Amino acid sequence: MSNAGDGTIGVGMVGHAFMGRVHSQAWRTVHHFFDVPLTPRLAALG
């Protein structure tokens, strides 16, 4: 969900290793390739 109108959206992913790294990089750079209305905000759980 958007965080109080700050222009971000939380993204949660389940996974690790190669595909986890690939998908997190894709979310971090999505605005370079697509006109997206919100910026993804990633967080890691330890």
Side-chain angles (χ1 to χ4, degrees):
M1 298 195 71
S2 180
N3 188 15
D6 69 354
T8 66
I9 188 166
V11 175
M13 293 190 321
V14 176
H16 58 80
F18 176 75
M19 288 313 294
R21 288 191 303 268
V22 170
H23 285 111
S24 63
Q25 180 65 21
W27 276 113
R28 283 192 296 269
T29 61
V30 68
H31 64 279
H32 292 294
F33 303 99
F34 299 100
D35 183 22
V36 292
L38 299 172
T39 300
R41 186 181 68 254
L42 301 174
L45 299 176

